[in-house]
Amino acid sequence: DVKVTQSSRYLVKRTGEKVFLECVQDMDHENMFWYRQDPGLGLRLIYFSYDVKMKEKGDIPEGYSVSREKKERFSLILESASTNQTSMYLCASSQGQGQTDTQYFGPGTRLTVL
Amino acid sequence: GQNIDQPTEMTATEGAIVQINCTYQTSGFNGLFWYQQHAGEAPTFLSYNVLDGLEEKGRFSSFLSRSKGYSYLLLKELQMKDSASYLCAVLDSNYQLIWGAGTKLIIKP
């Protein structure tokens, strides 16, 4: 079974703090993704990576950065957290080309920025 | 712009059948996914359609009409555990996934 884990289920941070969200997958997948999920909206892609040390901007990269130093690990960084970044953050991984293959999701991190 | 439309919420009775619709307007089409997401949990893959027609997988079936920009997910013999959100996502001409907001399905005894 593919397993995608995220470092925290719940996180509370203050405005201006630097926030790290970590994601690890154990299936040797090439592709990893970070999404945010907000009520009434579809999943929105923040960043994705098709290979180690590679990253591509998604639809809403502003205010975020990512790091992929190892194949199994993809980190999302909020350089200076703001209240509008309060959301559910989902990490996913997939094999195959880009976003064409089934994605396997982690359980999510619910981030609250005060 | 690109758009995926799904009903926000649906209610059905245990043992019954429910159809969840998804209509899309996207720049091109390279396939459509359905995912299931229980409250507080990760989305999990249900089905993938790229050709017109019905794909059956146990109690769940997914239908696609590319000419109408339309898909539905059909759930038969509903069980309480089917209470979840159902997400529709379309691969556009650039092989980017466009996600719908999801349909919350409530099953009543």
Side-chain angles (χ1 to χ4, degrees):
Chain A
D1 262 3
V2 176
K3 193 164 185 184
V4 180
T5 57
Q6 296 184 227
S7 49
S8 307
R9 291 299 302 269
Y10 299 93
L11 212 50
V12 179
K13 295 292 182 181
R14 298 214 173 266
T15 302
E17 280 192 83
K18 191 168 186 175
V19 182
F20 293 88
L21 303 182
E22 292 231 306
C23 175
V24 178
Q25 50 97 1
D26 66 358
M27 283 302 292
D28 202 38
H29 282 172
E30 303 293 329
N31 313 309
M32 296 189 76
F33 308 87
W34 274 107
Y35 293 94
R36 62 178 284 175
Q37 185 175 35
D38 298 291
L41 299 177
L43 294 180
R44 292 183 290 168
L45 185 62
I46 304 170
Y47 268 97
F48 56 100
S49 169
Y50 293 153
D51 201 352
V52 176
K53 296 197 185 293
M54 290 186 67
K55 59 185 178 184
E56 298 279 347
K57 292 180 180 179
D59 300 318
I60 51 164
E62 297 78 19
Y64 303 94
S65 62
V66 290
S67 172
R68 194 163 180 205
E69 295 296 318
K70 293 185 177 182
K71 191 174 186 180
E72 67 271 17
R73 191 179 296 269
F74 193 35
S75 302
L76 180 70
I77 302 145
L78 288 67
E79 294 290 341
S80 178
S82 63
T83 54
N84 63 12
Q85 292 178 310
T86 292
S87 186
M88 171 69 84
Y89 289 88
L90 290 168
C91 174
S93 71
S94 73
Q95 196 55 292
Q97 183 183 354
Q99 299 180 53
T100 61
D101 219 340
T102 300
Q103 293 189 22
Y104 296 85
F105 286 85
T109 296
R110 186 166 293 282
L111 173 67
T112 302
V113 182
L114 302 176
Chain B
Q2 310 212 81
N3 195 49
I4 310 279
D5 284 315
Q6 305 179 236
T8 303
E9 187 174 294
M10 299 181 70
T11 303
T13 304
E14 192 177 14
I17 298 173
V18 72
Q19 177 175 311
I20 302 173
N21 296 327
C22 171
T23 57
Y24 60 89
Q25 300 90 37
T26 56
S27 58
F29 177 86
N30 281 298
L32 185 146
F33 291 87
W34 284 97
Y35 283 79
Q36 180 190 57
Q37 184 179 23
H38 286 101
E41 295 184 14
T44 55
F45 170 78
L46 284 178
S47 68
Y48 172 70
N49 294 69
V50 66
L51 300 176
D52 288 351
L54 188 68
E55 299 264 350
E56 297 187 71
K57 198 185 287 186
R59 294 189 298 113
F60 291 12
S61 303
S62 56
F63 171 83
L64 175 67
S65 168
R66 289 172 297 172
S67 62
K68 295 182 179 178
Y70 168 69
S71 173
Y72 66 72
L73 186 66
L74 191 71
L75 290 71
K76 301 178 185 175
E77 300 167 17
L78 285 170
Q79 301 176 10
M80 297 303 293
K81 68 178 181 180
D82 297 329
S83 291
S85 289
Y86 292 86
L87 313 181
C88 172
V90 172
L91 267 173
D92 70 8
S93 57
N94 294 319
Y95 293 93
Q96 304 298 312
L97 263 182
I98 313 298
W99 292 84
T103 298
K104 182 177 181 181
L105 178 63
I106 299 167
I107 309 296
K108 295 187 174 178

